[in-house]
Amino acid sequence: MNPASSPTEIAIRVGTIGHLFNSIDPSPFREKDLDSGVEEFLVGWVRELPQGTPFTIVVHLPPEEAAKPEATRIGEAFTHYFEYRAEVSVHELRELFRIGRRSLAIGVVVLIACLVGSQMVAAIIPNQVVARVLEESLIIVGWVANWRPIEIYLYDWLPIRRRIGLFRRLAAAPLQVIPTALKNDRCP
């Protein structure tokens, strides 16, 4: 199959519609959480696809399940679920940046205090070796206090941003329900 000509199909084969969703979730059908295995399967597949590659989710159900009214709403339920997951990740990113701002404010104050303290130590202590060790130690403490905000702003936000994009791609993906007779693997 040429990826440029048709989208990649991600096939899910289940025995009932209920297998797609979390069985303990009491929410209405449209708002139900996906089964964790189904979510992992879809996320894993889409994560492996090159960015921008079109894909379609194909749900294979037994004919009697595919004929149920709920089957026509599976696509809507998937879209709602992945939009919700993207929104949760957006809130997670905002919270991370809020923590980063607080950590940065604290880190800058600690760094300034350590730099000022290191200069004071150098001026007060007559022993050059001890003064130098304390001066360098305070400078290191000041920079270590900024480790977390630097880590947040350089690295930690990227995986969350990618996850948001992944969930949005999954929410926008077309979904087809295809009636398919399940094969009995025990029969020759």
Side-chain angles (χ1 to χ4, degrees):
M1 175 180 359
N2 183 354
S5 63
S6 63
T8 300
E9 286 188 4
I10 302 173
I12 302 172
R13 188 178 307 269
V14 291
T16 67
I17 294 170
H19 289 146
L20 295 169
F21 300 96
N22 185 334
S23 60
I24 62 172
D25 187 355
S27 301
F29 183 78
R30 179 185 181 276
E31 298 171 8
K32 276 189 164 301
D33 285 347
L34 286 184
D35 177 78
S36 60
V38 171
E39 179 184 0
E40 278 181 42
F41 177 77
L42 291 171
V43 167
W45 256 98
V46 175
R47 186 176 280 138
E48 296 298 319
L49 292 174
Q51 188 67 26
T53 301
F55 64 93
T56 301
I57 300 170
V58 179
V59 178
H60 295 274
L61 287 169
E64 62 277 3
E65 286 289 314
K68 290 182 177 179
E70 294 89 11
T72 61
R73 298 178 56 215
I74 292 173
E76 178 185 354
F78 273 50
T79 297
H80 181 269
Y81 177 76
F82 285 115
E83 284 174 349
Y84 169 75
R85 295 287 290 146
E87 191 59 34
V88 167
S89 295
V90 166
H91 290 296
E92 185 182 334
L93 185 61
R94 285 184 190 143
E95 176 67 9
L96 180 69
F97 283 144
R98 187 184 64 75
I99 291 168
R101 285 189 302 272
R102 284 187 179 166
S103 299
L104 185 60
I106 292 167
V108 167
V109 168
V110 170
L111 179 61
I112 291 169
C114 287
L115 290 173
V116 169
S118 72
Q119 295 304 308
M120 292 171 67
V121 163
I124 294 173
I125 297 180
N127 185 328
Q128 293 277 339
V129 174
V130 173
R132 185 76 175 149
V133 167
L134 288 174
E135 182 180 359
E136 293 296 323
S137 296
L138 284 170
I139 290 171
I140 290 170
V141 168
W143 284 112
V144 169
N146 284 284
W147 186 282
R148 182 67 182 134
I150 290 170
E151 185 177 38
I152 287 171
Y153 286 114
L154 289 180
Y155 305 110
D156 288 355
W157 66 277
L158 284 169
I160 299 170
R161 190 74 193 126
R162 284 190 193 111
R163 194 167 50 241
I164 292 167
L166 183 69
F167 289 144
R168 287 184 177 155
R169 282 183 73 193
L170 280 159
L175 184 138
Q176 296 175 321
V177 175
I178 298 178
T180 308
L182 292 177
K183 296 177 185 174
N184 187 345
D185 293 334
R186 291 183 222 152
C187 295

